[in-house]
Amino acid sequence: MIYITFFVSVFGCFAQNDSLRNPYFKSYNDKITASIYYLDTSNSFQIASDAQEPKTFLNLIPNRREQIGFNLNYKIIDISVGFAPKFLSGNKGDSHSKHFNFNTRFYYKKWMQSFTFINQKGFYVSDDNVTAQLPKMRTTKIGGTTSYVFNDKFSFKTLISQNEWQTKSSGSFIPTFSFYYTNIDLNAPDTTPGDIYVFTLAPSYFYNFVISDRILIGAGVALGAGINDIDGDTSALYQADLNLKLAYNNDRFFGYASLNSISFSQDDKVDPRLNDNIATLKLSLGYRFDPPKEVKKVYDKVNDKIGL
């Protein structure tokens, strides 16, 4: 799969001046950032049942997971081109398997809003004894999170991009509200699509530990609870998130490895249970450079006209 994403974030501009003045941050918003990346991301599901012995645990895993691509970023313009070649070990199934993943975030002062869209076709079922293809199975997930960063000295952008860099160690308490809608369609005889709604509130804590001027470790954990609705059947839901990042940075070159996991688990009393997990591993190498004069001139002219 090849996808091209062009996205302009209006709200991102509100935080630019604050980050430029904050001695705990270093902003690279005036540079063009180019990077190559490897991405392993998927939305997998687990069906668990206690109705029989031994207990049943079936993992529904998408065929397409791994991608390689290129990213170009300048101010509020972000363009990505990526593809999921079959030769990567995590990509299984035939040529009809697909995976499209889009994520972005907006910032306004201390508020942060994320948006996620995931569309997958082609899964396989895996347990201790059986592995079987579900080539027509399709899932679509739409949702996001709303968060509030309490500490002005903490740079959340350092964890999710390289347009900003934490220069002094700092952390913050960040409560997060999550909402996701997921449609699951097995596309098999005698089955109908299912609609899943998730609402959770998860207190979290993030910390950027600056080891040196060029190396830091970022980490965050969240534990929360909420409500899960599957075709009108409501049950309690538990959430556990984990975020890790090891990054190297100077004014020109940078590189990082990041791991993010969001897990939603239904209450054990629900049978059968459908648990939901979004996991992302990303490796990236990049370079920053000054924008060509013509590019900066055109951008400034457009920016003056539309008022961003």
Side-chain angles (χ1 to χ4, degrees), residues 6-129:
F6 178 87
F7 192 84
V8 178
S9 169
V10 176
F11 295 100
C13 63
F14 290 106
Q16 292 172 9
N17 292 332
D18 291 339
S19 65
L20 289 171
R21 292 192 297 264
N22 196 318
Y24 279 76
F25 306 163
K26 185 171 186 179
S27 174
Y28 295 100
N29 195 53
D30 60 337
K31 304 291 186 182
I32 291 180
T33 302
S35 62
I36 56 174
Y37 64 83
Y38 162 82
L39 184 68
D40 185 339
T41 183
S42 65
N43 182 197
S44 59
F45 303 87
Q46 182 189 65
I47 299 176
S49 177
D50 297 326
Q52 59 184 16
E53 291 294 341
K55 296 180 180 180
T56 302
F57 294 93
L58 292 178
N59 296 302
L60 302 175
I61 305 171
N63 287 330
R64 290 288 191 265
R65 288 172 30 202
E66 297 183 75
Q67 303 172 16
I68 54 177
F70 172 78
N71 177 263
L72 191 67
N73 179 278
Y74 177 55
K75 292 186 181 292
I76 57 174
I77 298 174
D78 197 333
I79 302 173
S80 295
V81 180
F83 63 100
K86 193 175 180 180
F87 65 78
L88 293 175
S89 60
N91 294 332
K92 306 178 185 297
D94 55 30
S95 59
H96 298 292
S97 296
K98 298 178 181 180
H99 182 133
F100 179 84
N101 187 301
F102 174 76
N103 295 276
T104 190
R105 284 181 171 86
F106 311 101
Y107 298 90
Y108 179 69
K109 296 184 179 180
K110 292 186 176 185
W111 290 95
M112 178 180 62
Q113 177 67 49
S114 74
F115 175 79
T116 297
F117 176 81
I118 303 173
N119 187 274
Q120 302 171 127
K121 180 184 178 183
F123 281 69
Y124 65 94
V125 179
S126 176
D127 69 2
D128 294 336
N129 302 312

Side-chain angles (χ1 to χ4, degrees), residues 5-308:
T5 303
F6 178 87
F7 192 84
V8 178
S9 169
V10 176
F11 295 100
C13 63
F14 290 106
Q16 292 172 9
N17 292 332
D18 291 339
S19 65
L20 289 171
R21 292 192 297 264
N22 196 318
Y24 279 76
F25 306 163
K26 185 171 186 179
S27 174
Y28 295 100
N29 195 53
D30 60 337
K31 304 291 186 182
I32 291 180
T33 302
S35 62
I36 56 174
Y37 64 83
Y38 162 82
L39 184 68
D40 185 339
T41 183
S42 65
N43 182 197
S44 59
F45 303 87
Q46 182 189 65
I47 299 176
S49 177
D50 297 326
Q52 59 184 16
E53 291 294 341
K55 296 180 180 180
T56 302
F57 294 93
L58 292 178
N59 296 302
L60 302 175
I61 305 171
N63 287 330
R64 290 288 191 265
R65 288 172 30 202
E66 297 183 75
Q67 303 172 16
I68 54 177
F70 172 78
N71 177 263
L72 191 67
N73 179 278
Y74 177 55
K75 292 186 181 292
I76 57 174
I77 298 174
D78 197 333
I79 302 173
S80 295
V81 180
F83 63 100
K86 193 175 180 180
F87 65 78
L88 293 175
S89 60
N91 294 332
K92 306 178 185 297
D94 55 30
S95 59
H96 298 292
S97 296
K98 298 178 181 180
H99 182 133
F100 179 84
N101 187 301
F102 174 76
N103 295 276
T104 190
R105 284 181 171 86
F106 311 101
Y107 298 90
Y108 179 69
K109 296 184 179 180
K110 292 186 176 185
W111 290 95
M112 178 180 62
Q113 177 67 49
S114 74
F115 175 79
T116 297
F117 176 81
I118 303 173
N119 187 274
Q120 302 171 127
K121 180 184 178 183
F123 281 69
Y124 65 94
V125 179
S126 176
D127 69 2
D128 294 336
N129 302 312
V130 177
T131 299
Q133 283 287 332
L134 297 173
K136 295 182 179 181
M137 179 179 171
R138 181 189 293 273
T139 67
T140 301
K141 181 183 293 293
I142 301 173
T145 62
T146 302
S147 304
Y148 185 82
V149 181
F150 273 86
N151 189 357
D152 292 333
K153 298 177 181 179
F154 176 74
S155 170
F156 193 84
K157 288 184 179 180
T158 297
L159 284 179
I160 54 108
S161 72
Q162 289 299 119
N163 286 343
E164 195 168 271
W165 183 254
Q166 186 95 46
T167 56
K168 298 180 181 180
S169 297
S170 184
S172 180
F173 173 67
I174 305 176
T176 299
F177 172 76
S178 301
F179 164 74
Y180 289 97
Y181 161 75
T182 305
N183 177 267
I184 298 180
D185 190 353
L186 295 177
N187 279 314
D190 301 323
T191 64
T192 58
D195 295 319
I196 304 172
Y197 296 89
V198 168
F199 306 87
T200 62
L201 181 62
S204 63
Y205 187 80
F206 288 82
Y207 192 86
N208 287 328
F209 178 60
V210 179
I211 298 176
S212 68
D213 290 341
R214 296 185 178 182
I215 299 175
L216 67 73
I217 297 175
V221 62
L223 297 173
I227 297 174
N228 184 77
D229 183 293
I230 301 180
D231 294 334
D233 294 331
T234 303
S235 63
L237 187 75
Y238 305 102
Q239 178 181 352
D241 299 356
L242 176 66
N243 295 268
L244 295 171
K245 183 174 184 177
L246 174 62
Y248 169 86
N249 180 77
N250 64 34
D251 289 342
R252 291 296 181 182
F253 293 96
F254 65 85
Y256 67 85
S258 64
L259 174 65
N260 304 288
S261 176
I262 304 174
S263 299
F264 299 105
S265 300
Q266 285 183 271
D267 189 271
D268 290 343
K269 296 179 181 179
V270 179
D271 188 60
R273 302 186 301 277
L274 182 62
N275 300 327
D276 188 345
N277 183 71
I278 306 171
T280 301
L281 170 67
K282 188 173 185 178
L283 307 176
S284 181
L285 293 172
Y287 181 75
R288 302 185 190 93
F289 56 94
D290 295 324
K293 292 183 179 179
E294 288 301 316
V295 172
K296 188 177 186 301
K297 183 178 179 181
V298 171
Y299 179 91
D300 291 341
K301 184 181 294 185
V302 173
N303 185 43
D304 290 339
K305 288 185 177 181
I306 63 180
L308 292 182

